[in-house]
Amino acid sequence: MKILYENKIIKNILGLGIYRVLGLATNFLLVGLIYRYLSSEEINGVWLTVSSILTWLSFFDFGMGNGLRNKLTESITKKDYELSKMYISTTYVLMIIPTILIILVSVLIVPHIDWAELFSITSKSITNEYLSVFTCVLFVLFAINFYLSILFAILHATFQSYKISMIQFIVNLLNIVVISLLNYFTKIDDLIILGMVYIGSSILVLLVTTIWIFLFEKKNIRPSFKKFHKPLISDILGIGIKFLVLQLAIIILFNSDNFIISKYIGVEEVTSYQLVYKILSLFTIVLGIILTPTWTLITQYSANKEFKKVKDIFFRLLVIYSVLFIGVILAGVLSPKIIDVWIGDKIIINKSLIFFMIIFTAVHMWSNIFQNILNGLNLLNVQVITFGIATIINIPISIWLVINTHLGVSGIITGTIISLCVPAIILPIYTFKYFLKNIN
């Protein structure tokens, strides 16, 4: 059994590694292509900020995705495929609710928001009506994509996480082709068309992949409305609500910076911040490649009370973290040159921003290791508390640093670092105590 699990882990890590490299390469090309597609720093800043908002919304599934992931892992491990069908079918039915909520918000609330004021837009050519239509279209399309993303939880639970990276790679490739054609033939510079292409391609790939998997690869757990089982709602939502609170805290903590920069410094400064962030986040992604299948493996070991194996995984992760930390420092030092080659435009990058972004990335990766272990062990309460505190204090600290210091954008990332220290300190202590208690 151990060899079987390890083979699955190796297959996932290799698959994730290959497709993530391809995904990252195409994503870098796509970011540069979008930067050239959009005519001004303001428009590009709007795109980056709205993209962050959509990332927030991806977690409004009441935690059902991760709830399904853990429950499905347990039922598949026990080879109870009938129960697996019911878990999947019930989740698909439940996910209709948040999907409809997103669409209603898009249609009823988005048009009444002063987006021009929110983004601090100064250009008269970018009207509030235009921004409202753009945001509404993106939210509606995102809702459809959001519903289809249930597939990701199923792929995680069945040790096929690498297929998620494969899907993202194909989406990036499709976006590159279509946006390149738009640039070459029509020279269109339009946020609405960009959004339709960007999310529409994801919808198409997810829909085709979902149909393919359930028709040909996973017939034994194919969902059906007849398999909806009301008593399972409490099972899915029991864990799911905790995941929801945790995910909301994390997503606000890590994605509020763009909004604060737009509001208090200027939307044009979002670009430099995001470029440095994307370079250093490569190391967070590499760690994520390793952590993704590890979560499922830890869940299985935990179910079998094999906590010593969980501890062994932890120490291996610490070695990997040390190597990645060195890489973060080197990438940070070289980031200005990388950006010049990548974007093809002279963008001034503040050295203090690079320094604080290196620290942020190191603390972020450190927290991710312990978060992943605790997720696999279904120990969510301590995470909810620590990340909740971090989220509550993050925005006030960041705004205070921007207003009362001369750090500028660096002040915002510094505020995030200070806030993230709460889980970065408490989660390791909690994890060590858990190991001492459960390992003889």
Side-chain angles (χ1 to χ4, degrees):
M1 185 67 71
K2 179 181 178 181
I3 295 175
L4 178 62
Y5 286 164
E6 289 183 350
N7 286 339
K8 288 180 179 180
I9 289 290
I10 293 171
K11 181 179 179 181
N12 267 277
I13 290 176
L14 289 176
L16 280 165
I18 293 170
Y19 284 115
R20 280 286 177 88
V21 169
L22 293 173
L24 288 171
T26 51
N27 188 60
F28 268 56
L29 291 173
L30 184 58
V31 170
L33 188 61
I34 290 175
Y35 183 83
R36 290 175 172 84
Y37 173 88
L38 300 173
S39 60
S40 71
E41 292 292 338
E42 276 195 326
I43 294 179
N44 194 56
V46 169
W47 170 257
L48 292 172
T49 304
V50 173
S51 298
S52 294
I53 294 174
L54 292 179
T55 303
W56 299 0
L57 287 175
S58 66
F59 292 94
F60 277 87
D61 64 348
F62 301 103
M64 284 185 278
N66 284 326
L68 171 64
R69 175 179 180 173
N70 280 12
K71 288 298 181 180
L72 190 58
T73 298
E74 294 173 4
S75 62
I76 290 177
T77 300
K78 297 174 183 176
K79 300 187 184 302
D80 191 342
Y81 299 118
E82 186 66 21
L83 181 60
S84 297
K85 283 183 183 181
M86 290 191 288
Y87 272 125
I88 295 172
S89 302
T90 302
T91 303
Y92 268 107
V93 173
L94 287 176
M95 281 283 284
I96 294 174
I97 297 173
T99 302
I100 292 175
L101 286 176
I102 295 174
I103 294 175
L104 289 176
V105 168
S106 305
V107 176
L108 300 177
I109 298 178
V110 166
H112 300 288
I113 298 175
D114 190 343
W115 294 100
E117 172 67 21
L118 193 63
F119 293 129
S120 300
I121 298 295
T122 58
S123 175
K124 293 183 180 180
S125 61
I126 307 174
T127 65
N128 188 64
E129 289 75 16
Y130 174 80
L131 291 174
S132 294
V133 172
F134 160 66
T135 309
C136 186
V137 168
L138 246 65
F139 279 26
V140 171
L141 289 175
F142 173 80
I144 300 170
N145 187 76
F146 164 79
Y147 183 78
L148 294 172
S149 296
I150 299 173
L151 178 67
F152 293 160
I154 298 167
L155 293 176
H156 280 309
T158 55
F159 277 107
Q160 297 183 87
S161 300
Y162 66 93
K163 289 186 178 179
I164 299 173
S165 295
M166 180 185 70
I167 291 169
Q168 292 165 344
F169 162 65
I170 295 172
V171 170
N172 284 347
L173 201 60
L174 186 58
N175 273 317
I176 288 172
V177 171
V178 176
I179 295 173
S180 295
L181 290 174
L182 287 174
N183 267 334
Y184 182 79
F185 288 109
T186 61
K187 301 296 180 183
I188 295 175
D189 173 24
D190 191 293
L191 281 171
I192 297 174
I193 293 177
L194 175 62
M196 292 174 67
V197 170
Y198 191 86
I199 303 181
S201 60
S202 181
I203 291 173
L204 176 62
V205 174
L206 267 176
L207 181 61
V208 171
T209 306
T210 300
I211 293 172
W212 175 271
I213 285 178
F214 285 125
L215 281 182
F216 301 105
E217 296 185 13
K218 296 294 176 183
K219 294 180 182 179
N220 59 337
I221 56 172
R222 184 187 302 166
S224 166
F225 283 110
K226 295 180 181 179
K227 296 295 181 180
F228 172 78
H229 195 54
K230 190 175 179 180
L232 293 182
I233 293 178
S234 59
D235 275 358
I236 297 170
L237 291 183
I239 299 176
I241 293 298
K242 292 181 181 179
F243 271 118
L244 170 65
V245 176
L246 176 60
Q247 290 170 330
L248 286 177
I250 291 173
I251 204 64
I252 294 173
L253 176 64
F254 292 127
N255 290 275
S256 58
D257 287 357
N258 284 341
F259 175 77
I260 298 173
I261 293 170
S262 299
K263 185 66 178 177
Y264 291 92
I265 300 178
V267 72
E268 65 279 356
E269 292 293 329
V270 173
T271 302
S272 60
Y273 172 91
Q274 278 291 316
L275 292 176
V276 178
Y277 175 83
K278 285 183 180 295
I279 291 172
L280 296 187
S281 67
L282 290 175
F283 297 91
T284 309
I285 292 171
V286 170
L287 180 61
I289 290 173
I290 299 168
L291 293 179
T292 298
T294 301
W295 174 341
T296 304
L297 184 62
I298 290 173
T299 301
Q300 293 182 333
Y301 284 153
S302 176
N304 295 326
K305 306 297 182 182
E306 298 175 302
F307 297 111
K308 188 177 185 303
K309 292 181 180 179
V310 177
K311 183 181 177 182
D312 292 340
I313 290 174
F314 165 66
F315 283 114
R316 292 177 189 176
L317 291 175
L318 288 184
V319 174
I320 294 170
Y321 172 83
S322 301
V323 175
L324 291 176
F325 178 67
I326 296 172
V328 169
I329 295 174
L330 293 175
V333 172
L334 297 173
S335 59
K337 294 183 179 179
I338 296 173
I339 290 172
D340 284 344
V341 175
W342 177 21
I343 298 300
D345 194 7
K346 293 292 181 181
I347 297 178
I348 299 175
I349 304 296
N350 194 302
K351 289 183 179 180
S352 66
L353 174 61
I354 297 173
F355 173 75
F356 286 113
M357 194 66 78
I358 289 173
I359 297 176
F360 163 76
T361 306
V363 177
H364 187 190
M365 290 193 302
W366 175 258
S367 300
N368 281 355
I369 289 175
F370 294 95
Q371 183 189 353
N372 187 271
I373 292 171
L374 295 175
N375 283 345
L377 294 171
N378 280 325
L379 300 174
L380 303 178
N381 290 342
V382 66
Q383 296 186 68
V384 171
I385 294 171
T386 55
F387 277 104
I389 293 171
T391 301
I392 292 170
I393 67 176
N394 176 49
I395 294 179
I397 291 176
S398 297
I399 293 175
W400 186 90
L401 288 171
V402 169
I403 294 175
N404 295 281
T405 70
H406 299 289
L407 288 173
V409 176
S410 300
I412 293 175
I413 193 65
T414 301
T416 305
I417 293 170
I418 294 171
S419 304
L420 191 56
C421 282
V422 177
I425 294 172
I426 295 177
L427 294 187
I429 295 173
Y430 185 89
T431 304
F432 288 134
K433 286 185 176 180
Y434 182 85
F435 286 151
L436 288 174
K437 181 179 178 181
N438 290 278
I439 300 175
N440 296 322

